[in-house]
Amino acid sequence: MAAPGALLRQCPLLLPQNRHGTAYEGFLTAQGRDFHIRILLPMDCQLKNARIECSWHLKKILHGYQHIVKQRLHNSPDLVSFLVELKTIMEIALKNTPELHIPRPPEYYSCLVRDIEILGWNKVAYVDSGLSTVKMKAEDSCGRQHLITLKLNAKYPTDPPDCLVDFPVQFAVSWMPQNSLIDIYNQFLAALESLKEFWDAMDEIDGNTWVLEPENPPRSATTRRIAVGSNVSVTVEVDPRHPTMLPECYFLGADHVVNPLRIKLNNNMHLWDPEISLLQNLKDILEIDFPSRAVLEKSDFTKECGICYAYRLDGATPDHVCDEPRCGQPFHQACLAEWLQGLPSSRQSFNVIFGECPYCNK
C-alpha cells in the first residue's frame, strides 16, 4: 500500500480507488503532458504481481521499454518508488519518440465549445491550450468546492472523456454519444450529494480534533489518525457509503493505555447511534473527550522518535510506544526494528522482535 502523503506529492493526479489501497487511477505527468493510467495490486500489495493499464498513447510511447518497466516492478520497494522510476522512464521514452499527435477534426472543437457554452463558462475552472483537458468546478450543498478533470480524446463526443475526481469511491460516468459536458456535470453534482454525510463526518473530525495523519487530507481519504493523549491515538476508517455506522478503529500507544480503550469499544459498541454524529458516537463509546484544538497545540502530540529524533521519516510517524508506564517513548517502526536487530540480547519469534527499550532499557 502506498503512503498517501508521499503518493500525493509525487503523483497528485493519481488517486486511490478503494480503501484497501489495491487500485489507483488517474494521470502521470511527463514532459508537461498527462497520461491516463490504472494500477491494480493484488490483496497482498505485491508490486511484482501488479497489473498496469494505460491509454494506447502511453502504451505506444513505452513500446520497447516494457522489460525495464517489468524489472522496476519486481525491484522497487513500494508503489511510490516505482511510480517515480516509471515517470523517469516515460520522460526518456518521450524524448526518443516522434510526436504521436492525431489531428482533431474541426467538428471536435466546434462541438466542445458548444458544449462548454451550454454548460456555462462560469462552471469551467481550466481549459488547456489544445482543448483536450477541461476542469469543471462545483459547490456542494454545504459550500465545499470540488473539481472534476476531463481528458477528452479526438473521438469526443462519440467516446466519453476520462474523468478524475477526488472521491473516496469510484466515479463511473454513464455516457451516450448524444451526451455532453452538462450530463457529466449533473452526474458529478449527484455524486457530490451522495457523499455529503461522509464529508460532513470527516469535516467534523478535522475541525474538532487533532488529526495526526494524514496531513492536509484529500477528499478521497477515508481514514483519520486522531490524537487521544500523549503518545496515544486512534485511527478510524470510515465507510464512505455508510458514514453513520461504526467505523474500523485501530489504537496506537502503550498497551496499558490502549487496552482499556479497546475494552470500552468492545463493551459499548452496541450503544452506537446512527442518528448522532460519528464524532459524538466515538466520544460516547470510548467514554473520552478528544483533546481540544482550542486548548492544546498539535505539537503536544507529535513527539519525536527516541532513536532518530525526527517526527516524520519517509512520511511515517512514530507509532510504536514503549509499554513501560514511566517511559512511553514513541519510535518509528523502521528505527525500532533496526535498533532491536542490532542488539545482541534481542530475540525473534516469527515476525516479532523482543528487546530492551533504547530509551529506558526496560
Side-chain angles (χ1 to χ4, degrees), residues 289-334:
D289 274 324
F290 290 102
S292 168
R293 295 176 67 95
V295 178
L296 297 167
E297 296 296 327
K298 191 173 183 179
S299 57
D300 294 325
F301 311 105
T302 54
K303 197 172 179 183
E304 294 85 0
C305 169
I307 295 173
C308 73
Y309 299 107
Y311 180 63
R312 291 202 172 270
L313 179 68
D314 296 332
T317 57
D319 57 5
H320 283 55
V321 180
C322 175
D323 283 331
E324 169 60 37
R326 289 170 296 181
C327 178
Q329 175 65 41
F331 305 94
H332 293 117
Q333 179 177 331

Side-chain angles (χ1 to χ4, degrees), residues 241-260:
R241 296 293 190 193
H242 306 284
T244 59
M245 305 308 290
L246 176 66
E248 296 283 345
C249 296
Y250 310 94
F251 296 98
L252 294 169
D255 286 345
H256 71 277
V257 179
V258 301
N259 281 342

Side-chain angles (χ1 to χ4, degrees), residues 95-297:
K95 287 176 184 173
N96 298 327
T97 303
E99 183 59 35
L100 298 168
H101 179 67
I102 297 178
R104 304 189 178 210
E107 296 80 15
Y108 166 87
Y109 298 102
S110 59
C111 178
L112 179 58
V113 171
R114 184 197 68 219
D115 285 355
I116 292 176
E117 287 176 346
I118 294 171
L119 172 72
W121 285 96
N122 61 320
K123 295 182 177 68
V124 176
Y126 168 82
V127 181
D128 73 335
S129 57
L131 293 184
S132 60
T133 300
V134 177
K135 292 185 181 181
M136 301 188 297
K137 58 186 177 181
E139 189 176 281
D140 63 26
S141 58
C142 290
R144 289 178 286 248
Q145 300 292 323
H146 303 270
L147 283 176
I148 178 170
T149 300
L150 309 180
K151 298 286 183 177
L152 301 98
N153 64 36
K155 293 183 179 178
Y156 175 85
T158 304
D159 290 349
D162 289 323
C163 302
L164 181 68
V165 291
D166 190 8
F167 281 5
V169 295
Q170 189 173 5
F171 177 64
V173 173
S174 175
W175 184 264
M176 300 287 285
Q178 63 267 28
N179 288 148
S180 67
L181 297 186
I182 199 163
D183 296 294
I184 295 179
Y185 191 80
N186 289 333
Q187 292 177 55
F188 182 51
L189 289 177
L192 292 181
E193 289 312 299
S194 73
L195 290 164
K196 175 186 177 300
E197 282 191 333
F198 168 73
W199 284 323
D200 286 347
M202 304 313 265
D203 283 353
E204 185 186 18
I205 290 173
D206 293 340
N208 295 282
T209 70
W210 280 116
V211 174
L212 304 180
E213 293 181 284
E215 288 187 318
N216 305 315
R219 287 291 175 193
S220 56
T222 59
T223 61
R224 297 290 190 274
R225 183 178 162 212
I226 309 168
V228 175
S230 181
N231 302 326
V232 185
S233 60
V234 58
T235 297
V236 295
E237 183 168 353
V238 182
D239 184 344
R241 296 293 190 193
H242 306 284
T244 59
M245 305 308 290
L246 176 66
E248 296 283 345
C249 296
Y250 310 94
F251 296 98
L252 294 169
D255 286 345
H256 71 277
V257 179
V258 301
N259 281 342
L261 293 172
R262 290 192 184 104
I263 292 169
K264 286 176 184 175
L265 176 66
N266 291 329
N267 290 345
N268 296 337
M269 63 171 57
H270 67 283
L271 300 175
W272 189 272
D273 182 359
E275 297 301 316
I276 64 176
S277 76
L278 185 145
L279 181 59
Q280 187 58 51
N281 265 312
L282 287 174
K283 291 179 181 179
D284 295 344
I285 297 295
L286 299 176
E287 299 175 11
I288 60 171
D289 274 324
F290 290 102
S292 168
R293 295 176 67 95
V295 178
L296 297 167
E297 296 296 327

